[in-house]
C-alpha cells in the first residue's frame, strides 16, 4: 500500500515540505484552478507536478501519483447535448496526465453538490473539533431555508416538526453558516459554489433525471472513457456519494455495495474501479466495509481511510470519528486491503498498488485557530496516518 496525502495546491496552508515530514510518499492532488470541464493542459500539469516533486537532493522525494479529482461537468450527468464535448475534454485531461505517469484518477458522479456537512466545527469531548452531518439541520435547511418545492414529501410529520424546532433554535448567523456549508461547498468539491437562487436553478435542471437516467449517463461516459483508460493503463476510481443517499430530490447512484456491484456488472473493465471511501460508505449501517473491501478488492485503486460514529437514534447523522475508533472495523478493512495487495503480488501485478490516504482529521492542538481547509488540517490527519501506519505495520508483521 502506498501512503498518500492530499494537497490542494499552492494555497493549501499545509505545504509540500510539511507533508514531507509525515513520511507519506505520494501526493493526491488536482488542478483546482482550472474551470470545471476545461482541459488540463500538459503545461499546467507539468507546472503542478514540479511544485510537488522538485526538492533538494537530501530531501525525501514526493511523487504526484493520484488525481482527486477531474471534475465531471454537469452536462455529462444531465446528458445534455454538450456532454460529448465535455467528455472529450475529460479524456484529454486523462491522456495528458498519463504522459506524466499519473495513472490513478478519482472522480465522482454526484449531481449539483459534492460532499456535504452541516457542521464544520463540532466540538468533541476531547476539546478537538470534528466535521458532522446532522440530519435535522439538513432537513431544516431543505424545508425552511431553501424551501424546496416538494421537500415536504421527503420527510415524515415528525421529521418536519423536529426540523422546524431545529430551524427555530438557530440564530440568523447559524442559518447563514449552515447555508454556506451546504451550497458553497467544501474543500476539494468538484461542483460549483452556488447562491440560493443558482442552487434552486441547478436542482430544477434535474427534474427529469432519475436514478436510472443518471446511471445511463454514467455508463455512457464510461463507455467513452474506459477504452482510453485501458490503453493508457489508467485506473479510474469513482468516489461514492457523500452522504450516500438521495438528497434534495437528486438521485445518487454510488451509495451501497449493490450500486458498486451493478456498476461493475454493467462496465466490467478492470480499469473501472472505485475509491473505497471508508467513511462515506460507513455512514450507512447497511454497508459492511470489511466485506466490501474483500468483495471489491480487485477494483480498489484508492482508499480514503476514516471513520464515522452514527447517532444512535438517527443513523443518518454522524460525526467524523478518530480513524480507528468508529462504527467501522478499520483494522479488518486494512487487513482486507493487505490481502488484496498480496494477491496482486502473487499474480504478477505488483505494479498496481493501492493508494491509501488518511481522509479528514480532527482540528486539534496548534491547528485550532489557524486558517485550515475543513477536514484537512495537518495534525489531525497526521494522527490518522500514524494510527493507520501502525495497523499496517502490525498486520504486515504477523
Ligand atoms: C472529501 C472528499 C471529496 C472528494 C471528491 C471526489 O473530503 O473525499 O472532496 O474528493 O468528491 O471526487
Amino acid at each position: 500500500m502506498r501512503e498518500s496525502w492530499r494537497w490542494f495546491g499552492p494555497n493549501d496552508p499545509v505545504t509540500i515540505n510539511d507533508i514531507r515530514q509525515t513520511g507519506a510518499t505520494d501526493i493526491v492532488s488536482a488542478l483546482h484552478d482550472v474551470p470545471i470541464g476545461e482541459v488540463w493542459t500538459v503545461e499546467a500539469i507539468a507546472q503542478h507536478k514540479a511544485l510537488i516533486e522538485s526538492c533538494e537532493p537530501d530531501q525525501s522525494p514526493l511523487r504526484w501519483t493520484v488525481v482527486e479529482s477531474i471534475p465531471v461537468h454537469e452536462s455529462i450527468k444531465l446528458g445534455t447535448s454538450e456532454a460529448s464535448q465535455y467528455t472529450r475534454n475529460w479524456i484529454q485531461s486523462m491522456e495528458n496526465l498519463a504522459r506524466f505517469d499519473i495513472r490513478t484518477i478519482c472522480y465522482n458522479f454526484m449531481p449539483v453538490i459534492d460532499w456535504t456537512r452541516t457542521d464544520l466545527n463540532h466540538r468533541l469531548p476531547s476539546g478537538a473539533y470534528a466535521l458532522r452531518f446532522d440530519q435535522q439541520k439538513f432537513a431544516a435547511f431543505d424545508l425552511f431555508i431553501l424551501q424546496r418545492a416538494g421537500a415536504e414529501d421527503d420527510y415524515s410529520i415528525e421529521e418536519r416538526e423536529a426540523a422546524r424546532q431545529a430551524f427555530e433554535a438557530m440564530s440568523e448567523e447559524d442559518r447563514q453558516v449552515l447555508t454556506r456549508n451546504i451550497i458553497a461547498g467544501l474543500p476539494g468539491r468538484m461542483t460549483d459554489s452556488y447562491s440560493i437562487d443558482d442552487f434552486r436553478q441547478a436542482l430544477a435542471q434535474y427534474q427529469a433525471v432519475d436514478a436510472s437516467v443518471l446511471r445511463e449517463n454514467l455508463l455512457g461516459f464510461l463507455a467513452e472513457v474506459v477504452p482510453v483508460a485501458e490503453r493508457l493503463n489508467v485506473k479510474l476510481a469513482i468516489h461514492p456519494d457523500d452522504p450516500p443517499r438521495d438528497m434534495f430530490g437528486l438521485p445518487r447512484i454510488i451509495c451501497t455495495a449493490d450500486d458498486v456491484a451493478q456498476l461493475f456488472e454493467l462496465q466490467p473493465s478492470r480499469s473501472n474501479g472505485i475509491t473505497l471511501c471508508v467513511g462515506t460508505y460507513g455512514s450507512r449501517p447497511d454497508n459492511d466495509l470489511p466485506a466490501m473491501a474483500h468483495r471489491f478488492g480487485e477494483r480498489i485503486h484508492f482508499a480514503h481511510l476514516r471513520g464515522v460514529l452514527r447517532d444512535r437514534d438517527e443513523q443518518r447523522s454522524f460525526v467524523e470519528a478518530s480513524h480507528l475508533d468508529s462504527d467501522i472495523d478499520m483494522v479488518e478493512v486494512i487487513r482486507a486491503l493487505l490481502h488484496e495487495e498480496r494477491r496482486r503480488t502473487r499474480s504478477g501485478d505488483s505494479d498496481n498498488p493501492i493508494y491509501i490516504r488518511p481522509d479528514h482529521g480532527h482540528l486539534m492542538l496548534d491547528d485550532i485557530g489557524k486558517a485550515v481547509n475543513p477536514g484537512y488540517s495537518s495534525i489531525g490527519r497526521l494522527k490518522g496516518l500514524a494510527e493507520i501506519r501502525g495497523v499496517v505495520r502490525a498486520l504486515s508483521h504477523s
Side-chain angles (χ1 to χ4, degrees):
M1 263 165 3
R2 295 192 65 95
E3 287 178 6
S4 66
W5 186 281
R6 190 174 197 179
W7 185 60
F8 289 110
N11 295 329
D12 192 330
V14 183
T15 66
I16 285 291
N17 279 335
D18 293 339
I19 299 171
R20 215 185 297 285
Q21 292 187 35
T22 68
T25 50
D26 291 73
I27 295 291
V28 175
S29 199
L31 302 186
H32 294 284
D33 292 338
V34 177
I36 292 174
E38 281 185 22
V39 173
W40 293 11
T41 62
V42 169
E43 296 70 32
I45 295 169
Q47 211 175 26
H48 197 71
K49 185 175 156 81
L51 292 176
I52 293 169
E53 300 190 359
S54 347
C55 66
E56 302 299 327
D58 62 348
Q59 287 183 309
S60 323
L62 290 167
R63 278 188 64 208
W64 182 16
T65 40
V66 182
V67 166
E68 180 173 354
S69 302
I70 310 179
V72 176
H73 192 265
E74 288 300 305
S75 67
I76 300 173
K77 299 174 215 169
L78 285 162
T80 65
S81 56
E82 293 173 303
S84 41
Q85 181 57 48
Y86 282 112
T87 301
R88 279 200 294 280
N89 290 358
W90 203 97
I91 292 172
Q92 185 65 58
S93 300
M94 175 174 76
E95 289 179 321
N96 292 349
L97 287 159
R99 286 172 64 163
F100 294 91
D101 206 19
I102 302 168
R103 295 179 201 274
T104 301
I105 301 185
C106 172
Y107 69 102
N108 73 70
F109 217 73
M110 286 178 253
V112 185
I113 42 165
D114 203 291
W115 67 296
T116 303
R117 299 290 180 271
T118 55
D119 302 80
L120 306 185
N121 285 299
H122 175 79
R123 199 182 157 94
L124 298 168
S126 67
Y129 296 86
L131 306 183
R132 172 168 163 81
F133 184 88
D134 184 291
Q135 175 62 21
Q136 253 171 36
K137 286 191 186 170
F138 176 79
F141 171 77
D142 194 11
L143 289 161
F144 303 112
I145 299 179
L146 180 64
Q147 299 176 4
R148 178 172 61 89
E152 307 75 44
D153 302 341
D154 291 354
Y155 304 94
S156 67
I157 296 177
E158 294 74 30
E159 286 170 341
R160 293 203 297 262
E161 185 44 35
R164 174 184 308 283
Q165 285 174 18
F167 175 72
E168 280 166 5
M170 284 179 217
S171 67
E172 193 42 47
E173 198 197 332
D174 292 339
R175 291 173 189 165
Q176 279 172 18
V177 170
L178 178 64
T179 304
R180 240 192 346 264
N181 291 348
I182 296 179
I183 65 173
L186 297 177
R189 71 186 149 71
M190 297 292 146
T191 49
D192 281 321
S193 186
Y194 306 93
S195 66
I196 282 272
D197 282 341
D198 293 347
F199 188 62
R200 288 195 183 107
Q201 275 177 29
L203 293 180
Q205 289 190 300
Y206 277 86
Q207 249 156 17
V209 180
D210 62 9
S212 65
V213 173
L214 189 63
R215 195 169 289 110
E216 278 307 307
N217 294 343
L218 171 59
L219 289 169
F221 170 71
L222 289 175
E224 304 286 322
V225 172
V226 162
V228 187
E230 280 179 341
R231 178 167 55 74
L232 299 170
N233 190 24
V234 163
K235 306 286 189 255
L236 302 166
I238 196 166
H239 187 283
D241 307 334
D242 180 9
R245 58 176 177 272
D246 294 355
M247 306 186 95
F248 299 119
L250 295 167
R252 311 249 268 183
I253 54 172
I254 307 291
C255 300
T256 63
D258 284 349
D259 291 341
V260 176
Q262 190 183 13
L263 174 69
F264 293 162
E265 200 183 296
L266 297 171
Q267 175 44 268
S269 164
R270 283 186 58 196
S271 291
N272 174 34
I274 58 170
T275 297
L276 185 74
C277 182
V278 173
T280 301
Y281 283 115
S283 52
R284 282 178 75 118
D286 54 347
N287 281 332
D288 175 342
L289 266 296
M292 287 175 77
H294 272 295
R295 177 172 175 196
F296 301 125
E298 264 196 7
R299 302 289 191 87
I300 298 173
H301 302 310
F302 184 30
H304 288 175
L305 302 183
R306 90 179 144 82
V308 292
L309 278 170
R310 297 181 301 269
D311 289 12
R312 278 208 202 117
D313 50 352
E314 171 47 91
Q315 296 274 310
R316 291 168 298 181
S317 298
F318 59 86
V319 172
E320 297 200 358
S322 292
H323 288 72
L324 301 187
D325 297 306
S326 78
D327 286 332
I328 302 151
D329 190 340
M330 188 64 83
V331 174
E332 281 309 310
V333 171
I334 294 174
R335 197 195 300 279
L337 296 178
L338 286 168
H339 182 268
E340 166 59 16
E341 200 164 60
R342 281 195 300 275
R343 189 200 63 76
R344 290 183 194 182
T345 309
R346 276 199 310 271
S347 62
D349 196 15
S350 51
D351 197 23
N352 182 11
I354 300 176
Y355 294 93
I356 56 167
R357 71 170 177 82
D359 194 17
H360 306 174
H362 290 159
L363 182 69
M364 58 194 294
L365 301 171
D366 280 10
D367 278 341
I368 296 174
K370 281 192 189 165
V372 294
N373 283 311
Y376 287 92
S377 52
S378 59
I379 301 173
R381 275 189 295 164
L382 179 59
K383 173 173 172 284
L385 176 62
E387 291 174 348
I388 291 162
R389 184 181 290 154
V391 173
V392 171
R393 216 42 89 74
L395 291 178
S396 311
H397 198 261
S398 56

